[in-house]
Amino acid sequence: MQKTVTDRVGRTITYNYPPKRIVSLCPGITDTLFSLNLKEELVGRTRFCIYPKEEVKEIPAVAGTKDIKIDKIHDVKPDLIIVEKEENTEAIVTELQEHYPVYVAEVQSIEEAHRMIVDMGELTDRKEEARQLSTAIRDRFSALPSMEGKRAAYIIWKKTYMAVGRDTYIQSVLHEIGLINPFIQKEGRYPVITEEDFAAAKLDYVLLATEPYPFKEKHFEEFKRMMPETKPLLIDGEMFWYGPRMLEAPLYLQQFVHTEKHEDNG
C-alpha cells in the first residue's frame, strides 16, 4: 500500500509501505536499519557504512555521503531512499527525489538520535524493534561517566583545524558527560579553530578523534606546542556515532574516563 509521511525537514513523501528495497546514505542509519532486522530490505549503502562489520559488506555501495553513483542507485531499484541532513547534501536530495521517494532524517542531539530510531521503525514497520533498541540505549546511557566540568574541545580535522560546535550529536554527548566546550560559542556547527583560539580557550583536554581525520598520538606534539597546559587525548570517533554504536559508547566512555582519572591521580 501507499503511505504518506512528513520527514524531519518538512518534506512530504509518498512511498510503498512497508518498503522492500531501501537505500540508506548515512552510516548511523544503515547500522540502525540492520538492528531493526531489515537486512533483506537493504539494497544500497554508502562506502562509509561499515557497521555491522560483516553483514554490511553484502550490501552494494552505491554512493558516498557527499556523492552518489546514480546509475548504481538505478540498478538496485529502491522504493525508499533515506538520507540525513548533515551527512548528505541538498544537491543529492534534489537529484534523487526526481526518481525516488527520499526521506530526510536529522540528528543533532542524543534525543534526536532516539527520535531517528523511532522514525525508522515507523517508516519500515519495525516499531517494536525500534522501541527495544531505543530503550536499551537509554538504559546504557544512564551509566555515562562524568568528567566533572572539565574544559575540552573535540577536534575532527587538521589544517585547517575544525572542532565540534553547537547543535551536533557529538556536542550533546560531551555535554552529557559534563565537559564544557568553549567552541560552541563560535559560529557554525563545526567551526574552524585557529592557533589563537586554542591558546585562548584554556582547555583541560583536547580530544583528537580517530575519524573523520585519522588523528594519532604522533599529532600530540603540535597541540602541546599550541597549548602547553592542555592534555591531548586520542578518542575513538566511532564511539560518537548515533544508532547502535550508542550501545557501546557508555562502556567505552566509562573506561576512557576511568583511565584518564587514574593517570591524572597517578
Side-chain angles (χ1 to χ4, degrees):
M1 72 174 190
Q2 294 271 291
K3 184 174 183 177
T4 299
V5 300
T6 301
D7 69 13
R8 287 301 169 180
V9 296
R11 298 165 57 260
T12 300
I13 65 165
T14 300
Y15 67 105
N16 291 329
Y17 178 85
K20 297 300 183 184
R21 302 185 64 79
I22 303 170
V23 167
S24 168
L25 299 185
C26 170
I29 291 176
T30 300
D31 199 8
T32 300
L33 297 176
F34 270 99
S35 286
L36 303 186
N37 298 323
L38 288 160
K39 176 182 178 180
E40 297 303 318
E41 285 77 9
L42 271 166
V43 296
R45 62 176 173 93
T46 77
R47 59 185 177 272
F48 303 112
C49 296
I50 60 173
Y51 288 110
K53 282 189 178 294
E54 296 306 317
E55 293 174 284
V56 78
K57 295 175 184 176
E58 301 175 24
I59 310 301
V62 298
T65 53
K66 310 302 181 189
D67 62 281
I68 59 173
K69 305 291 186 184
I70 191 66
D71 290 343
K72 289 187 176 182
I73 292 174
H74 289 331
D75 286 345
V76 300
K77 300 179 176 62
D79 52 21
L80 178 65
I81 298 176
I82 304 172
V83 305
E84 199 277 330
K85 184 180 177 182
E86 175 188 319
E87 291 283 342
N88 308 119
T89 67
E90 187 175 355
I92 284 175
V93 175
T94 299
E95 181 174 2
L96 290 176
Q97 69 184 5
E98 293 295 317
H99 307 281
Y100 307 104
V102 180
Y103 182 94
V104 182
E106 184 174 25
V107 179
Q108 296 184 5
S109 67
I110 293 170
E111 280 307 309
E112 288 185 356
H114 284 283
R115 186 185 71 182
M116 178 276 291
I117 292 168
V118 171
D119 286 347
M120 293 305 107
E122 294 279 351
L123 275 177
T124 62
D125 195 25
R126 294 291 194 278
K127 298 180 186 67
E128 181 57 24
E129 292 90 337
R131 186 196 65 78
Q132 291 177 6
L133 176 58
S134 179
T135 298
I137 290 170
R138 288 191 189 279
D139 289 345
R140 300 277 180 92
F141 264 59
S142 67
L144 278 176
S146 172
M147 294 194 80
E148 301 166 352
K150 298 289 188 180
R151 294 172 64 84
Y154 186 110
I155 310 304
I156 62 169
W157 206 254
K158 180 180 185 298
K159 299 297 184 187
T160 55
Y161 299 113
M162 295 176 67
V164 164
R166 63 178 182 268
D167 299 328
T168 61
Y169 171 75
I170 296 173
Q171 168 55 28
S172 183
V173 176
L174 297 178
H175 176 77
E176 198 72 11
I177 63 176
L179 288 172
I180 298 169
N181 175 8
F183 296 141
I184 62 173
Q185 306 302 323
K186 293 182 71 69
E187 184 177 353
R189 299 174 67 222
Y190 298 97
V192 170
I193 308 299
T194 65
E195 292 195 18
E196 291 75 18
D197 291 330
F198 280 126
K202 296 182 173 59
L203 299 172
D204 295 296
Y205 303 111
V206 58
L207 306 178
L208 305 181
T210 57
E211 66 87 35
Y213 184 89
F215 281 110
K216 296 179 173 59
E217 289 185 3
K218 68 181 183 181
H219 297 109
F220 284 8
E221 287 306 315
E222 66 186 85
F223 288 91
K224 288 178 179 178
R225 176 182 55 79
M226 290 185 286
M227 301 173 285
E229 304 301 317
T230 297
K231 185 173 183 178
L233 296 172
L234 194 65
I235 196 157
D236 185 348
E238 292 177 8
M239 290 295 98
F240 285 78
W241 288 13
Y242 49 80
R245 296 313 101 194
M246 295 170 77
L247 291 169
E248 300 177 32
L251 179 58
Y252 170 79
L253 290 169
Q254 286 171 12
Q255 294 170 338
F256 181 86
V257 171
H258 175 77
T259 299
E260 176 51 34
K261 287 181 176 179
H262 179 76
E263 290 181 359
D264 279 352
N265 293 333

